[in-house]
Amino acid sequence: MTEPDLDTPVLDDHLHLDPDAGQGLSAVRDFRRLGGTHLLVVNKPSWHLGVEAETGEDFRDVFERTLDVVVEANDLLPGRAWPVLGVHPGLISRLVDDRGFAPGDARDLMQAGLDVAAEYVRDGRALALKSGRPHYDTPDEVWDASNAVLRHALGLGADVECAVQLHTEASEDLTEIASWAEERGLPAHRVVKHYAGPTLAGPTPSVMCRTEWLREAAERGEPFLMETDFVDDPDRPGAVMGPKTVPRRVRTLLEEGYDDAVRLAHVETPARVYGIDTEATLSA
């Protein structure tokens, strides 16, 4: 059953779709039925798609598969979907611990993959880049290599004039990363902390859809986005949040009188961060 229209764009800022092994387009249909209109679809980690990269070019298959599912999602949405492409920061541990790479060689491979992702942004086929650093403890040399990858991504974002989504450790203060972005010519507000809480300093928070977090973000009145981080992995069916969550939380916020916050998260902040117009891309 389709829920009553929410009369607003509804954007999930970060989720994954796997039409081969996961729910794929059925997740998009669930999102739409609950009132969702727009999606930012992030490529799944390369090794989850069976790609064990040796060169930057090896990531291209991962990116192309993401573009393909975005095209299909666009046919189902009243708004549209955009691809976000990059290299998951957890790859460095897979390269170093499982495949015997030196940290410097892992860094170089991941940076090369980001170079390929930036090509898609440059030619208009992708909206933004994805990078970051591990959210778990690592040896110093791996941490340093990861930060070098992250800084490279920020530099690419400045070069191709796009936002950069980050997967990092849990933190309420990432002003250092924001300063790295500014030093490279990327405005700090175009750096997005995926899986964020409501009180983040530095990048723009993409707030996980816990109701209490969203209320706190709404009360603060600072720019924020909303996401599920839906992983679309049949081996982890209950992981993170499902595709219905963002529209459900939007409905709750509207019922509680947070109309301005909904507009901030789904119209104003997407325009500020990504340069997208979620109203103009919403069909009547």
Side-chain angles (χ1 to χ4, degrees), residues 16-261:
H16 308 275
L17 294 174
D18 188 338
D20 299 318
Q23 294 183 39
L25 296 179
S26 68
V28 179
R29 293 185 184 96
D30 285 345
F31 175 74
R32 171 65 188 99
R33 276 196 295 269
L34 272 289
T37 62
H38 294 76
L39 295 171
L40 263 59
V41 181
V42 184
N43 63 264
K44 294 189 76 171
S46 51
W47 65 96
H48 285 188
L49 297 177
V51 174
E52 299 291 356
E54 299 282 353
T55 70
E57 282 296 315
D58 292 340
F59 290 94
R60 199 174 293 277
D61 180 56
V62 176
F63 302 152
E64 291 288 345
R65 290 163 76 177
T66 305
L67 266 61
D68 288 345
V69 75
V70 165
V71 169
E72 295 180 288
N74 277 331
D75 291 337
L76 301 175
L77 292 170
R80 63 164 295 181
W82 291 273
V84 176
L85 304 181
V87 178
H88 193 285
L91 177 61
I92 195 164
S93 296
R94 186 173 183 86
L95 293 172
V96 172
D97 297 342
D98 298 342
R99 295 179 56 193
F101 276 61
D105 293 335
R107 173 202 63 214
D108 292 347
L109 174 58
M110 294 170 72
Q111 289 180 346
L114 285 164
D115 290 341
V116 174
E119 292 178 17
Y120 288 85
V121 178
R122 187 177 288 110
D123 68 17
R125 289 193 289 163
L127 179 68
L129 296 173
K130 158 74 182 294
S131 185
R133 63 191 182 192
H135 62 272
Y136 47 85
D137 291 338
T138 65
D140 288 347
E141 60 271 22
V142 171
W143 183 251
D144 291 344
S146 297
N147 278 318
V149 174
L150 190 163
R151 288 191 290 265
H152 185 72
L154 297 174
L156 289 171
D159 290 345
V160 299
E161 299 182 339
C162 77
V164 179
Q165 286 196 11
L166 296 181
H167 171 115
T168 74
E169 72 280 8
S171 176
E172 293 187 355
D173 186 352
L174 293 176
T175 51
E176 181 182 44
I177 291 178
S179 70
W180 292 348
E182 295 277 358
E183 288 166 4
R184 286 158 178 77
L186 181 66
H189 70 267
R190 303 205 76 188
V191 181
V192 177
K193 167 67 170 82
H194 133 71
Y195 210 115
T199 59
L200 179 69
T204 298
S206 185
V207 179
M208 284 297 293
C209 280
R210 299 176 186 173
T211 304
E212 65 276 15
W213 283 11
L214 295 175
R215 289 192 185 110
E216 187 170 354
E219 292 287 349
R220 291 184 76 211
E222 298 292 329
F224 75 104
L225 298 153
M226 292 170 58
E227 71 165 79
T228 58
D229 189 26
F230 174 62
V231 297
D232 204 8
D233 185 342
D235 294 330
R236 302 169 61 205
V240 203
M241 293 180 171
K244 301 176 183 178
T245 310
V246 168
R248 280 176 169 162
R249 297 295 187 267
V250 167
R251 191 175 301 277
T252 298
L253 290 173
L254 292 173
E255 290 171 351
E256 295 178 356
Y258 290 113
D259 299 57
D260 290 346

